[in-house]
Amino acid sequence: MMYNWMERLSDDAEVPTPRRVQPSLSVAFEYVEAENEFNFYIRNVTNYPMTPTLHKTESRAVMHLVKGISRKTSVMGWARTITWQDIKEKDPFTYQTLNVVRASTTIYNEFFTCKVSPREFKNTLLRIQICDIDEHDQNVVVAEMDYWINTHIISQFTQFELPFPPFTPDLGEIELHMTYLPVSERLIVHYSTVTNLKLDEKCKEIFVRGVLFVGGRQFERHQSETKKRSENACTDDGMHFTQKLLFDLDRKYVPKAEVLLHVIQVVEDRDLIVGQVSISMLHSEQGQQMLKALRTTISRVHRLIPSAG
């Protein structure tokens, strides 16, 4: 009987299986040795990481050009990891594109130039970041890569398509307990636990916000109780939120439903997103398990990813 219910549910709407395709950055580089000029053109990003958002999100590309940075490898031959501390010590040049609307293919179409001497050429790094822009006009990095400008021969403008992995900083985790009740047609998210959060030093309070989207449109928004900051939130012990998030979800809309969870910190009376997780009812492991075991609570720990809201 459970299987038949799931079978009918799947037939109610055509839901394409999402493709997991690595984002790609389209750029062009040129080095004019006679002029000591390094020129670069940021064209676009394809297969851009997309999740539902609460407001229209804009994007910009930010580039940090770092001269004279060491490329030494380890004794084992591993490539050196360049930290932000390494970059700041070299006083980088920073460039950014104009704001554009975020889309699966986000187009920037901007040209930049910088003086780089032949002596500096082999030890110059270009860190390229794709950023969503939050409601406070702050950059939220969603994809990042490092490019040594002497990697390819670029005596004349040459275009490249470079793999551009999503940015996955360690922001913390959230454990979610989810249940779907088919008779009352209600989705319940309850007893959420956040662990190992990376919080601002001025963070005062923390809460969890849940938003139900159906077919990409926002239907309901709820939030947990607000708790005073505790050191447990930054450890494996975690901070627990007991208030249930109750969403009315008609079974015929389940195939198109997605729940967006934000972990939010309050800093100087501003609500800042620490990170998010998005749960598709049909395409996520937790959603699939929940719909196969109706009325049963399914729990999963999710790693938080960057979010501009």
Side-chain angles (χ1 to χ4, degrees), residues 167-183:
F167 186 51
T168 55
D170 186 7
L171 300 175
E173 305 85 32
I174 182 168
E175 182 177 8
L176 298 175
H177 305 265
M178 298 178 63
T179 309
Y180 185 68
L181 305 178
V183 175

Side-chain angles (χ1 to χ4, degrees), residues 22 53 74 77 96 99 102 104 121 125 142 154 160 170 178 190 203 220 238 244 252 276 280 290:
Q22 174 127 318
T53 58
S74 67
Q96 66 181 34
N99 298 356
R102 184 181 79 154
S104 179
F121 184 64
L125 175 75
V142 295
I154 51 175
F160 301 95
D170 186 7
M178 298 178 63
H190 53 122
C203 168
E220 283 188 67
K244 295 180 180 180
K252 68 182 180 182
Q276 73 170 35
S280 165
M290 182 184 66

Side-chain angles (χ1 to χ4, degrees), residues 3-243:
Y3 175 81
N4 292 337
W5 185 85
M6 282 294 296
E7 193 174 54
R8 290 197 300 272
L9 174 66
S10 299
D11 290 341
D12 282 340
E14 294 181 5
V15 182
T17 301
R19 295 184 305 140
R20 298 181 180 273
V21 182
Q22 174 127 318
S24 177
L25 174 68
S26 178
V27 293
F29 300 120
E30 177 191 44
Y31 182 61
V32 184
E33 186 172 348
E35 303 292 336
N36 289 352
E37 282 187 352
F38 171 63
N39 304 313
F40 57 101
Y41 167 67
I42 305 298
R43 184 182 180 189
N44 62 37
V45 171
T46 56
N47 303 314
Y48 196 84
M50 298 290 291
T51 56
T53 58
L54 298 183
H55 53 81
K56 182 179 179 181
T57 304
E58 292 188 323
S59 171
R60 57 183 167 228
V62 180
M63 289 68 61
H64 307 276
L65 190 129
V66 194
K67 300 179 184 179
I69 193 163
S70 173
R71 297 183 63 173
K72 290 182 180 179
T73 58
S74 67
V75 177
M76 301 295 291
W78 296 329
R80 177 187 173 195
T81 299
I82 307 299
T83 66
W84 271 110
Q85 185 61 36
D86 296 329
I87 290 177
K88 290 178 181 178
E89 288 175 356
K90 296 297 182 180
D91 195 19
F93 297 85
T94 298
Y95 309 84
Q96 66 181 34
T97 66
L98 297 175
N99 298 356
V100 298
V101 176
R102 184 181 79 154
S104 179
T105 296
T106 304
I107 301 172
Y108 302 101
N109 279 344
E110 290 205 40
F111 173 91
F112 304 90
T113 186
C114 183
K115 292 291 184 181
V116 179
S117 70
R119 186 176 179 180
E120 298 169 320
F121 184 64
K122 70 176 182 179
N123 289 317
T124 296
L125 175 75
L126 184 66
R127 175 163 289 183
I128 306 173
Q129 299 175 322
I130 299 301
C131 303
D132 287 343
I133 305 167
D134 68 14
E135 59 183 331
H136 306 293
D137 197 40
Q138 299 298 307
N139 292 335
V140 177
V141 181
V142 295
E144 178 182 274
M145 69 167 295
D146 288 345
Y147 182 85
W148 295 97
I149 67 173
N150 71 332
T151 301
H152 299 94
I153 297 174
I154 51 175
S155 56
Q156 60 184 5
F157 250 110
T158 307
Q159 183 169 314
F160 301 95
E161 299 291 332
L162 304 175
F164 206 37
F167 186 51
T168 55
D170 186 7
L171 300 175
E173 305 85 32
I174 182 168
E175 182 177 8
L176 298 175
H177 305 265
M178 298 178 63
T179 309
Y180 185 68
L181 305 178
V183 175
S184 59
E185 297 184 318
R186 177 164 286 180
L187 174 67
I188 304 173
V189 181
H190 53 122
Y191 304 113
S192 304
T193 301
V194 295
T195 52
N196 300 310
L197 296 185
K198 296 299 180 287
L199 300 175
D200 189 284
E201 292 180 357
K202 297 180 180 179
C203 168
K204 299 177 182 178
E205 298 174 322
I206 305 170
F207 63 92
V208 176
R209 178 173 64 200
V211 187
L212 175 66
F213 289 83
V214 177
R217 296 178 58 188
Q218 183 183 158
F219 266 51
E220 283 188 67
R221 183 192 306 193
H222 302 289
Q223 71 180 52
S224 70
E225 71 274 28
T226 300
K227 290 196 169 186
K228 296 291 184 182
R229 175 177 178 167
S230 162
E231 289 304 317
N232 286 349
C234 301
T235 69
D236 288 337
D237 293 335
M239 178 180 284
H240 307 285
F241 297 88
T242 59
Q243 185 169 320

